[in-house]
Amino acid sequence: MAASMLRLVRSGRRWALAWIDGGSRERSGTQTGPTSNWARGQSSVAQLSLHTAQKPRKGEHKWAAVVGLEIHVQISSNSKLFSGAQVCFAAPPNSLVSFFDASLPGTLPVLNRRCVEAAVMTGLALNCHINKKSLFDRKHYFYSDLPAGYQITQQRLPIAANGHLTYSVYMGKKRSQMTTKTVRIKQIQLEQDSGKSLHDDLRSQTLIDLNRAGVGLLEVVLEPDLCCGEEAAIAVRELQMILQALGTSQANMAEGQLRVDANVSVHHPGEPLGVRTEVKNLNSLRFLAKAIDYEIQRQITELENGGEILNETRSFDYKLGCTVSMRDKEGKQDYRFMPEPNLPPLVLYDATSLPADADSQQVVNIDQLRDMLPELPSATRERLVQQYGILPEHSFTLLNEVGLLEFFQSVIKETRAEPKRVINWVLNTLLYYLKQQNLAVSESPVTPAALAELLDLLDSKAISSSAAKQVFEELWKGEGKTAAQIVTEQQLELMQDREALEQLCQAAIDGHPQVVMDVKNRNPKAINKLIGLVRRTSLSRADPTLIKEILERKLSL
Amino acid sequence: MLGRTLREVSAALKQGQVTPTELCKKCLSIIKKTKYLNAYITVSEEVALKQAEESEKRHKQGQPLGDLDGIPVAVKDNFSTSGIETTCASNMLKGYIPPYNATVVQKLLDQGALLMGKTNLDEFAMGSGSTDGVFGPVKNPWSYSKQYRERQRHDEHGDSHWLITGGSSGGSAAAVAAYTCFAALGSDTGGSTRNPAAHCGLVGFKPSYGLVSRHGLIPLVNSMDVPGIFTRCVDDTAVVLGVLAGHDPKDSTTVQDPIKLPMILGEMDVSRLCIGIPKEYLVPELSSEIRSLWSQAADLFESEGAKVIEVSLPHTCYSIVCYHVLCTSEVASNMARFDGLQYGHRSGIDVSTEAMYAATRQEGFSDVVRGRILSGNFFLLKENYENYFVKAQKVRRLIVRDFMNAFDSGVDVLLTPTTLSEAVPYLEFIKEDNRTRSAQDDIFTQAVNMAGLPAVSVPVALSNQGLPIGLQFIGRAFCDQQLLTVAKWFEKQVQFPTIQLQDLMDDGSLVLENGKLTSVSLT
């Protein structure tokens, strides 16, 4: 048991590598199957694909999709929202359950201060208005993993509202242009998580685990400002990074700390919005994008075939890659909302409203929390662009990959090489290798120090860049050799002996009169052929720029 | 010894005149003798004797935990008691043994009180007679009193004309009235402590909402429930309140500010007091005897120099309907947790989870409870919410404002009847259904719960039939101490007679040998 748990956690992290996937390796054995290639290419910034399938036929309007998200974020907190029970992923079933969590009669909720602070910080980071007074409500429904028969949430007056989240996407035909987009945030509410039900169809029984029951959630409700699956995934990824920067949630989708429901509809622009469906429980960014895109396409096809869209709840079948109706037997639920009578209104203070005699342990001060906000991803990216002169898209990649920024900064610290060269190596070589083998940055066989040493050799022109690639490949084997050792062993250092190189060049010219002729006839490729010949005879140890220089002089070009 | 006040017995225990074990055994023997009252659902004999033994050790060492050390108490069976079955008089919770103590129970135990048992009630405290629980109705000890029997015609002497205690905390009221303990906890949501107190000739106190923790009290209506206190005199109530009151980190609705409650109530200068008489409480259904006692009480205050004025609580007539909507809505919500999955009754029907839920709730709840759940869910439906629940909330606010206006006009304490009439025979009572009875019987009491105010019913006199009649004092929020001081003064003036229980007469030990209460005639 313990061993398998360990593996889950580790692979969860590993999966965080695929840029847009919070990771669902946990379920890969049972649910997803091999899914490693979703993150195509190297760029960590998603390539936004507008709906190609909705190309209008002649005389038809173009379809537009409208996507809104409800995101449930598990608050990173030692104890639950209304009880002292511990919060811990993958603990033995029903080992973290207080009397309140099991809803024993007579127990009462006591609000966890840490959860309130997390909600306020998240609200501030998402540019929300923080309500100085918010209320709790009961939402009723019968379900076996909801022991009280109701969930305590904030339906009427949530803790934060009217914010926005900014994210960046590639746009344009060449997809080379980055554009900043904004999705409005309707509200953020504090609420309880439910327990988990395990249905055993064979024995027709249901097993209940209440460890999760009562864990604090932030429900972040986005306005329907998104237009496709990938855009939704990018927005959620940005939210995920903000939450992680704040420390308000680990936001690991594989562990269910961030779960997304998507409301999807299609319509013709300029016309009223279409009937929407809700796609539930999307537990990885990859599935989120896939499910939304599938659902958009399904609705378009349905409508074009004269069908109609039902206002229903659907789930995503990861095996078939499609959404299926959940056929809720209950029909439309009436949640019979009611004020939670056991919790007084939640009152927050700021510098102006804070009573002079307030006990700092008893009050939450919005201004104090604002001052404590850490650097958020957007600011970090700006700083990186300014500080290192790297491209904005590179800054996205650095942040998207867990641990990559730290790796990059460690290399920078130890090398004389230019940041631009470092970023190229980190993104094009290191990240490529990591992805090839599906490894997390922390699992890289090449340490920042080793890469820094290699880049120093390159920077001092001790080796050519192609030799550097060879050295990197050797380093990747993780045999404990330093870059310098590899260079020496494999005689990869650049020929510093100009005389010898001149001789090699002369030999090439003499030995290949036809190619020389081509060069003289201005065939642009010919010179490269000569350079190649010289490099080969130099066993790749010659600097191609230098070879070119010598050749050009000798051939008096 | 049993006829003494709690404070006197406490002194006797400290002086070694009586031991906790003697006291405990005496009470246990009376519990057995009065079993026919059906006051207790569970008698925790072993627990009580063990507690008495420990109390005795402490007393011997001269280190009692407090004024309640060694004092027998009883607790209504809707307070969670660790290791002791807590049923709410419902099939739904038969066999349910809570793993924790309600805060108020814990506070009593921390003071060394002896827990005699869990007392009977209407199922989930829904009722005003203590007649609608699965363990059967509670009989009013006054049915067997000399005072009542003497005034009955001889042909009515059989047991068939026994009286109800009122409710829903009738078991606790009967337990204290029959001398099985010195104090008992009830709960009060719409009058469930004050009503049976009035019918059983006891002091029944409902503290301000937020003064005493509800943690562990199995809720009826969270926004109105408060633990209530039954004692045989106001001073004893003050002692118990002193122990129970205070902020509880487990109940976020208890007030943070420490409210100092001296356990001894002082004397008061009545001439500086302003008593309000709400004119809307003078209803045609009020018995003439109670009306007359009410006005005599007002005269008494006036004659002692108090200012007595008529006040208006204009929204009183909407109160009972408003209470019904809010009560049933919260009931529907609070009862949702009883699904048979984790505790209490679970039906054997298991074709599906839904079928199991339905059967469990059908089997576990009485018609009264199911009726309230049904109404409450109706009121909470999206289409009805505005018209019922929200409207009732608004009316509730108006009712609160009525009281505030009265107090703002200079009134210190309101004086009202507690009940429309004295206790009625069971056979009479059950001629109307639970809902009708609750609406009638809560008429003077439930508005106080909606406003969260403290109120106390004090026994005044015996009716022509020889049955106790109580009057109610209502105070400003968190002015519980002032309220009790007024009640104490009034209690001293009226000299309410002690119950004379024929059936207990054979027990010579009940004679009060040397107490001050010479009127006690338990010989």
Side-chain angles (χ1 to χ4, degrees), chain B residues 113-402:
Chain B
L114 316 179
L115 180 59
M116 308 312 289
K118 304 297 293 291
T119 58
N120 205 347
L121 65 156
D122 289 301
E123 183 166 343
F124 283 104
M126 296 180 199
S128 58
S130 301
T131 51
D132 280 328
V134 292
F135 299 100
V138 185
K139 296 178 180 178
N140 193 327
W142 285 84
S143 319
Y144 310 97
S145 71
K146 195 175 163 205
Q147 292 104 319
Y148 176 64
R149 295 239 151 177
E150 274 175 357
R151 294 176 220 198
Q152 290 296 299
R153 271 182 242 114
H154 280 283
D155 54 333
E156 287 176 9
H157 254 211
D159 192 38
S160 63
H161 283 77
W162 58 269
L163 309 156
I164 61 149
T165 53
S168 64
S169 314
S172 288
V176 177
Y179 295 91
T180 68
C181 59
F182 286 85
L185 293 184
S187 62
D188 194 314
T189 309
S192 283
T193 294
R194 288 159 288 157
N195 174 288
H199 287 330
C200 296
L202 297 172
V203 175
F205 178 62
K206 174 219 173 287
S208 296
Y209 185 87
L211 183 63
V212 178
S213 170
R214 293 179 294 116
H215 173 253
L217 166 61
I218 299 177
L220 177 60
V221 184
N222 300 287
S223 65
M224 302 185 205
D225 292 342
V226 283
I229 301 167
F230 290 97
T231 57
R232 294 189 287 262
C233 69
V234 178
D235 266 332
D236 290 357
T237 290
V239 172
V240 178
L241 180 64
V243 169
L244 301 185
H247 175 67
D248 178 8
K250 290 173 182 158
D251 177 357
S252 308
T253 63
T254 51
V255 284
Q256 297 270 355
D257 321 321
I259 288 171
K260 279 183 199 147
L261 287 166
M263 297 218 194
I264 302 167
L265 297 167
E267 295 295 319
M268 78 169 322
D269 181 0
V270 182
S271 67
R272 299 177 70 174
L273 204 61
C274 180
I275 303 284
I277 309 290
K279 62 175 183 188
E280 289 81 5
Y281 281 52
L282 183 59
V283 293
E285 299 88 343
L286 183 64
S287 85
S288 57
E289 270 185 283
I290 296 182
R291 197 170 74 191
S292 146
L293 283 169
W294 185 19
S295 99
Q296 283 174 41
D299 291 345
L300 173 65
F301 276 100
E302 208 164 39
S303 68
E304 293 294 321
K307 194 172 151 197
V308 178
I309 58 169
E310 185 185 87
V311 295
S312 174
L313 304 171
H315 297 93
T316 300
C317 59
Y318 308 110
S319 187
I320 202 84
V321 185
C322 168
Y323 174 80
H324 177 72
V325 173
L326 297 176
C327 171
T328 55
S329 298
E330 282 199 38
V331 162
S333 176
N334 286 332
M335 296 294 140
R337 72 188 56 209
F338 299 106
D339 56 13
L341 279 184
Q342 298 181 73
Y343 42 77
H345 176 71
R346 184 193 289 190
S347 170
I349 291 171
D350 61 351
V351 285
S352 73
T353 310
E354 287 75 17
M356 192 274 281
Y357 284 161
T360 296
R361 291 167 69 81
Q362 162 77 32
E363 294 160 15
F365 293 137
S366 69
D367 287 352
V368 170
V369 178
R370 286 208 310 280
R372 290 204 193 186
I373 292 172
L374 192 65
S375 334
N377 277 322
F378 175 83
F379 298 138
L380 289 177
L381 284 178
K382 211 174 176 182
E383 67 208 75
N384 298 331
Y385 186 74
E386 283 289 324
N387 278 337
Y388 291 93
F389 191 82
V390 172
K391 210 172 265 181
Q393 293 265 58
K394 288 178 181 168
V395 174
R396 179 177 187 175
R397 179 56 59 94
L398 292 173
I399 289 163
V400 173
R401 206 165 291 162
D402 281 354

Side-chain angles (χ1 to χ4, degrees), chain A residues 280-343:
Chain A
K280 280 263 186 207
N281 288 327
L282 299 162
N283 55 16
S284 79
L285 289 172
R286 195 169 71 89
F287 290 157
L288 169 69
K290 267 182 115 172
I292 291 172
D293 286 342
Y294 175 88
E295 183 57 19
I296 292 169
Q297 198 49 55
R298 184 191 71 83
Q299 291 188 11
I300 292 169
T301 311
E302 190 72 37
L303 290 169
E304 285 188 343
N305 293 334
E308 63 170 340
I309 305 302
L310 300 175
N311 183 358
E312 61 179 354
T313 307
R314 300 176 72 85
S315 65
F316 182 67
D317 186 317
Y318 50 89
K319 282 177 193 150
L320 302 174
C322 66
T323 65
V324 283
S325 174
M326 286 170 81
R327 280 188 212 91
D328 197 342
K329 267 185 266 170
E330 312 282 322
K332 262 197 175 174
Q333 285 260 20
D334 189 325
Y335 292 118
R336 290 159 288 132
F337 283 101
M338 184 189 94
E340 166 57 61
N342 294 320
L343 290 167

Side-chain angles (χ1 to χ4, degrees), chain A residues 508-529:
Chain A
I509 290 168
D510 296 344
H512 300 84
Q514 187 54 47
V515 183
V516 171
M517 200 66 107
D518 290 346
V519 172
K520 294 207 160 155
N521 292 336
R522 306 268 164 204
N523 181 338
K525 282 184 186 165
I527 186 91
N528 289 341
K529 194 163 185 187

Side-chain angles (χ1 to χ4, degrees), chain A residues 119-134:
Chain A
V120 172
M121 286 172 77
T122 306
L124 290 172
L126 297 175
N127 314 293
C128 289
H129 170 75
I130 307 295
N131 285 320
K132 287 195 193 145
K133 181 182 156 189
S134 60

